[in-house]
Amino acid sequence: MKSALQNTFRVWIVVTILILASLAIIYLRNGMVGLNLFIQQWPLSNLAVTLASTSITWLLAGALLNLLVNEKINKDNSWLTAGFFLVMFVYLNILRERFRYGDYQYYLEAATALTNGQPLPDTYLYLPLWATLLQFIVSLGDQGVMITLWIVNIIALGAFYFLLIRVLERYGFSHHLAIVITTLFLLINTPLMRTLGFIQVNLLTLDLILLSIIAYPKNIFLSALTLALAVHLKTSPAVIVLAFLLQFNWRWVFWFVISFLVIGLFPVVVNGFDVYTQYLNNAVLLTQIPDTNFHDTSFDSFLRFLNPFFGIQIAQTRLMALGAKVLLLAVTLFTMMRNVHAQSFSKENHLLNAIPALFVFMTLGSPIVWDHHGIFLTLTFLLMLKRIQSPAHWMVFLAAYFLEFMLPSFDFFPWSYGRLLAPMIVLWLMYVTSKNDETSPFVLSANQWLAKFAS
């Protein structure tokens, strides 16, 4: 077997060299015109995405062969390795079939505007760091920026796989169970698919949040730095800072404030202080949206749709949405403190018990909640697997999970607002199960079965 693997890997190396050599010869002789003669773009395909997905898949195949040849895959890491390659191969093939991508164009428009000395467009809804960073690749053009961010998202997906497993282990899940849960969660996941399909910044932001959790308390500076970066990329992760404040770790607070300010100075150095004024103007405009989009599963969007039917004025709707969010914040904080006092999720520290509830408000507290924002509820949902004991609670949880992560994205009022309801259902479950002292029978049974299967 080892000899066959070695020969296969040698063939892979030779074929790789031949491919690179052929590309070099064609380009040196005929330039891009020559390459276009040998590479075709199939209808309903994006050539850049096709080439990137094919290249990464080929490189991953080589990496897998290399691990097998050098006997790096063993009993201890075989599950981890298998899950990673399964997830990556599946998504590389799925994303290759998508020929139109969305939200990166808003990022590109913002970066282009800043490059040309113009204000941020009102479609850019983030702190200016991301647009400022993208200024340095604007010269690549639309397709160049798109494929760069596409590759960044693929890398973020691979990192997310390992980070999520590590976080679940931190919460007490066994190694094998964390791998199985992560793999299945990633393979059937509508918010993740939408995030990757729109080349959103969500996955990169969530990676930074997870890394911040993992790094604490062993590396205070790294934990503070990564969360500061996450806040600058998406703003809403500022809610998660509260969980760290409950630790009363002033070294962490110091490094977070310093990191946040230093990172925030970068856009100022490049573009001046006005970029923050423009961001604030865009944030205010975001709260003034008058119409409804069924993809937007926020309180604001839901209530705005009711205006013409009940004769409600838009000013009243905004007050109702604000009231709903204040109530959600109060319930979130109450549930969070209940989990902290009961040590519902972890006996280690307040941080790990506070975070699951805060992700709910971080997601639903925004004036716009697109379907891909559900990826931020990853820990909120997955950590409930170790808390639920009652069959009735299991049915409620599975219904909420189906609405959030498995149901395809669609536009049909009010049924498409299941993603508004699902996080609140889980928040309620978090409250009613907070004092469950025993680990879920599901976790106990799964650990026993996996231990036998892996032995």
Side-chain angles (χ1 to χ4, degrees):
M1 184 64 178
K2 184 175 181 179
S3 176
L5 285 171
Q6 289 174 336
N7 290 333
T8 303
F9 186 52
R10 291 189 187 104
V11 170
W12 180 89
I13 292 174
V14 170
V15 172
T16 302
I17 293 172
L18 290 174
I19 292 171
L20 293 174
S22 65
L23 288 171
I25 292 170
I26 294 169
Y27 180 76
L28 291 174
R29 181 173 179 177
N30 302 104
M32 289 303 298
V33 175
L35 288 177
N36 290 334
L37 292 175
F38 288 85
I39 299 175
Q40 291 183 341
Q41 178 169 337
W42 196 250
L44 303 182
S45 294
N46 183 296
L47 183 58
V49 171
T50 299
L51 294 177
S53 59
T54 303
S55 300
I56 295 173
T57 301
W58 179 258
L59 292 174
L60 285 174
L64 179 58
L65 285 171
N66 182 59
L67 291 173
L68 292 169
V69 167
N70 292 289
E71 299 180 343
K72 298 295 184 181
I73 300 177
N74 51 49
K75 184 179 179 180
D76 294 331
N77 63 22
S78 58
W79 287 51
L80 182 69
T81 307
F84 171 75
F85 282 100
L86 175 62
V87 168
M88 296 304 291
F89 285 142
V90 166
Y91 271 97
L92 284 166
N93 277 276
I94 290 175
L95 293 173
R96 175 260 175 266
E97 298 302 322
R98 187 177 178 95
F99 65 95
R100 290 183 61 189
Y101 289 85
D103 290 359
Y104 82 92
Q105 292 178 332
Y106 296 131
Y107 308 150
L108 178 57
E109 289 172 2
T112 302
L114 292 179
T115 301
N116 295 331
Q118 299 170 347
L120 288 169
D122 58 11
T123 53
Y124 184 80
L125 308 175
Y126 313 95
L127 284 164
L129 176 66
W130 191 232
T132 303
L133 291 173
L134 296 186
Q135 284 182 253
F136 296 96
I137 61 171
V138 164
S139 59
L140 296 177
D142 184 280
Q143 286 296 290
V145 172
M146 184 274 289
I147 201 60
T148 299
L149 297 183
W150 189 92
I151 293 172
V152 167
N153 257 355
I154 292 297
I155 295 172
L157 173 63
F160 183 58
Y161 171 81
F162 292 107
L163 290 170
L164 182 55
I165 289 173
R166 182 66 191 91
V167 170
L168 291 178
E169 290 176 339
R170 181 85 176 269
Y171 275 97
F173 287 83
S174 71
H175 180 62
H176 289 125
L177 183 56
I179 292 170
V180 171
I181 289 173
T182 298
T183 302
L184 294 177
F185 174 73
L186 295 181
L187 289 178
I188 307 174
N189 194 310
T190 300
L192 176 60
M193 183 66 69
R194 301 288 293 182
T195 291
L196 294 171
F198 281 83
I199 316 185
Q200 255 285 342
V201 75
N202 296 338
L203 200 53
L204 182 58
T205 303
L206 187 53
D207 280 352
L208 290 169
I209 296 174
L210 296 183
L211 183 56
S212 180
I213 296 170
I214 293 169
Y216 187 88
K218 290 184 177 180
N219 194 325
I220 296 294
F221 172 71
L222 179 62
S223 174
L225 174 64
T226 49
L227 188 57
L229 278 168
V231 174
H232 271 286
L233 286 180
K234 196 72 180 180
T235 308
S236 59
V239 174
I240 304 301
V241 175
L242 176 58
F244 286 89
L245 293 179
L246 292 175
Q247 292 296 120
F248 295 100
N249 188 325
W250 303 118
R251 283 183 59 230
W252 187 93
V253 174
F254 170 80
W255 282 118
F256 176 81
V257 172
I258 294 298
S259 300
F260 186 80
L261 292 175
V262 171
I263 294 167
L265 284 175
F266 177 67
V268 174
V269 172
V270 177
N271 298 298
F273 283 100
D274 283 348
V275 287
Y276 283 100
T277 303
Q278 295 158 19
Y279 159 74
L280 292 174
N281 290 336
N282 288 349
V284 172
L285 290 174
L286 186 60
T287 64
Q288 307 301 311
I289 297 174
D291 54 359
T292 290
N293 187 321
F294 296 162
H295 263 53
D296 172 11
T297 55
S298 64
F299 288 109
D300 307 71
S301 176
F302 180 85
L303 292 170
R304 282 195 299 263
F305 184 75
L306 302 178
N307 288 358
F309 297 99
F310 297 100
I312 305 173
Q313 299 298 316
I314 189 66
Q316 294 174 300
T317 302
R318 289 168 184 155
L319 286 175
M320 292 165 62
L322 178 61
K325 292 175 188 178
V326 170
L327 179 60
L328 176 65
L329 176 60
V331 173
T332 298
L333 293 177
F334 181 78
T335 304
M336 177 195 75
M337 294 310 300
R338 186 180 174 94
N339 288 327
V340 168
H341 289 145
Q343 296 183 315
S344 303
F345 294 102
S346 173
K347 305 299 182 184
E348 183 180 339
N349 56 39
H350 293 337
L351 168 68
L352 297 181
N353 290 293
I355 279 179
L358 289 176
F359 273 117
V360 175
F361 185 75
M362 170 185 157
T363 304
L364 296 186
S366 299
I368 290 183
V369 184
W370 300 120
D371 40 18
H372 50 69
H373 288 166
I375 194 65
F376 291 117
L377 296 164
T378 296
L379 287 183
T380 301
F381 275 79
L382 294 186
L383 292 177
M384 290 304 299
L385 295 175
K386 65 181 293 188
R387 303 301 315 148
I388 301 175
Q389 297 180 3
S390 161
H393 288 165
W394 270 112
M395 293 301 101
V396 173
F397 171 78
L398 291 174
Y401 187 93
F402 175 81
L403 291 173
E404 188 66 49
F405 292 106
M406 299 180 68
L407 193 66
S409 179
F410 68 102
D411 305 317
F412 180 16
F413 189 90
W415 311 110
S416 52
Y417 284 83
R419 288 188 170 89
L420 171 62
L421 181 64
M424 293 187 286
I425 291 174
V426 174
L427 188 64
W428 171 77
L429 285 173
M430 199 177 294
Y431 169 78
V432 298
T433 63
S434 60
K435 293 189 176 181
N436 287 358
D437 294 327
E438 298 180 0
T439 303
S440 165
F442 163 77
V443 172
L444 294 175
S445 300
N447 281 334
Q448 293 173 359
W449 184 83
L450 290 172
K452 292 179 181 178
F453 187 80
S455 60

